[in-house]
Amino acid sequence: MPEFDFAEQCPPLPAGQDPKLATCLQLVVTGGSMKLGGLTQEITQPMRTVIQAVQPSWDEPATYTSVKMTGKPMTVPGGVLGLLGFPLSGADGLPYNKVQVQAKYAGGFDFALPTTALGLKIKLINGAIGNGCFIGSNKDPMKLNLLIDFNKITSVSPGDYTNPFADPPILKMPTGDTTFAVPKTSGCGIFGPVIDWKAGLPSPSGRNAASFTVYMATAPYKPAYADVAARRTQDPVQTFRKLKIHG
């Protein structure tokens, strides 16, 4: 299970913001896979997204003041030779053959149960293709709508409802999407057409898939309810079902 340290990981509140009307939400992908056209990548490094949502008042909708995704690059098995269809055993780490991928946030986040929407772009890292090679972009991202199956949510930690920001409830859940499209590469120079050809990019809806194991923790910056002691025993899964954060 990933660690959650809201004091360290959640951004500070905007000046003048009532902490009772502000929420920090963290989603950490710890496993699963992504299929982008003819490319399939297992999730071997955690991907954490930290979201801050605030309201001016109880009667007004929340807005997202911060959405940040972090995660270490993941090595593509086989490297360049593998992408070209000529995998060579033990060559993954060789100079100019090693390829890594790193997911980057590309806008469009919304948390509207039972789906989580967000745009992604995938950075391709290799010594021969420079620093600007991506599948997708901020203007043309992969638009994922990750569906949550409520029947498969499990409670990992109930947290402390008297101080949820210090000890938030934590849930584990599977989520996925098979409807998103994948655009062509950009910024990859002469390698772009080769990658597009081998991966079958652009790849339309129905040929791609994301299947993730996600840990989720969320808490207000300051509890707003008076009966916090009574809520201490409340089922966090049921609380999650009622959670609404809309931008």
Side-chain angles (χ1 to χ4, degrees), residues 26 64 83 90-91 101 121 133 138 140 177 186 204 228 234-235 247:
Q26 294 199 37
Y64 301 112
L83 291 176
V101 291
K121 58 185 179 182
C133 181
N138 289 349
D140 189 16
D177 182 17
S186 61
V228 289
Q234 186 172 336
D235 182 358

Side-chain angles (χ1 to χ4, degrees), residues 86-131:
F86 305 103
L88 181 63
S89 178
D92 291 10
L94 292 178
Y96 297 107
N97 184 59
K98 183 178 181 179
V99 178
Q100 294 180 301
V101 291
Q102 187 175 26
K104 299 284 188 177
Y105 176 62
F109 180 84
D110 192 24
F111 190 70
L113 297 178
T115 62
T116 300
L118 78 163
L120 283 183
K121 58 185 179 182
I122 304 297
K123 184 176 184 179
L124 299 173
I125 304 169
N126 172 267
I129 60 177
N131 196 43

Side-chain angles (χ1 to χ4, degrees), residues 16-36:
Q17 174 64 44
D18 184 344
K20 295 189 295 295
L21 297 173
T23 300
C24 183
L25 169 67
Q26 294 199 37
L27 304 169
V28 184
V29 176
T30 60
S33 64
M34 286 193 74
K35 180 180 182 297
L36 310 178

Side-chain angles (χ1 to χ4, degrees), residues 31-35 40-43 209-213:
S33 64
M34 286 193 74
K35 180 180 182 297
T40 298
Q41 176 67 39
E42 298 295 323
I43 305 302
S211 178
F212 297 146
T213 298

Side-chain angles (χ1 to χ4, degrees), residues 56-225:
S57 70
W58 290 113
D59 298 325
E60 297 178 77
T63 58
Y64 301 112
T65 48
S66 177
V67 180
K68 293 184 178 180
M69 175 180 286
T70 57
K72 295 180 179 179
M74 294 174 279
T75 299
V76 177
V80 173
L81 293 174
L83 291 176
L84 295 177
F86 305 103
L88 181 63
S89 178
D92 291 10
L94 292 178
Y96 297 107
N97 184 59
K98 183 178 181 179
V99 178
Q100 294 180 301
V101 291
Q102 187 175 26
K104 299 284 188 177
Y105 176 62
F109 180 84
D110 192 24
F111 190 70
L113 297 178
T115 62
T116 300
L118 78 163
L120 283 183
K121 58 185 179 182
I122 304 297
K123 184 176 184 179
L124 299 173
I125 304 169
N126 172 267
I129 60 177
N131 196 43
C133 181
F134 286 88
I135 299 174
S137 64
N138 289 349
K139 292 184 178 180
D140 189 16
M142 291 174 281
K143 298 179 180 178
L144 275 66
N145 286 285
L146 297 165
L147 181 65
I148 298 168
D149 186 345
F150 286 131
N151 295 320
K152 295 182 180 180
I153 297 174
T154 57
S155 175
V156 176
S157 172
D160 181 355
Y161 281 93
T162 65
N163 191 2
F165 201 77
D167 184 9
I170 302 171
L171 301 176
K172 180 182 179 182
M173 65 196 74
T175 184
D177 182 17
T178 58
T179 64
F180 64 97
V182 180
K184 296 194 297 182
T185 56
S186 61
C188 301
I190 62 174
F191 294 97
V194 177
I195 298 171
D196 293 341
W197 169 61
K198 291 301 295 184
L201 305 181
S203 181
S205 173
R207 294 190 62 236
N208 318 295
S211 178
F212 297 146
T213 298
V214 178
Y215 286 84
M216 191 207 81
T218 184
Y221 279 73
K222 184 178 181 180
Y225 37 76

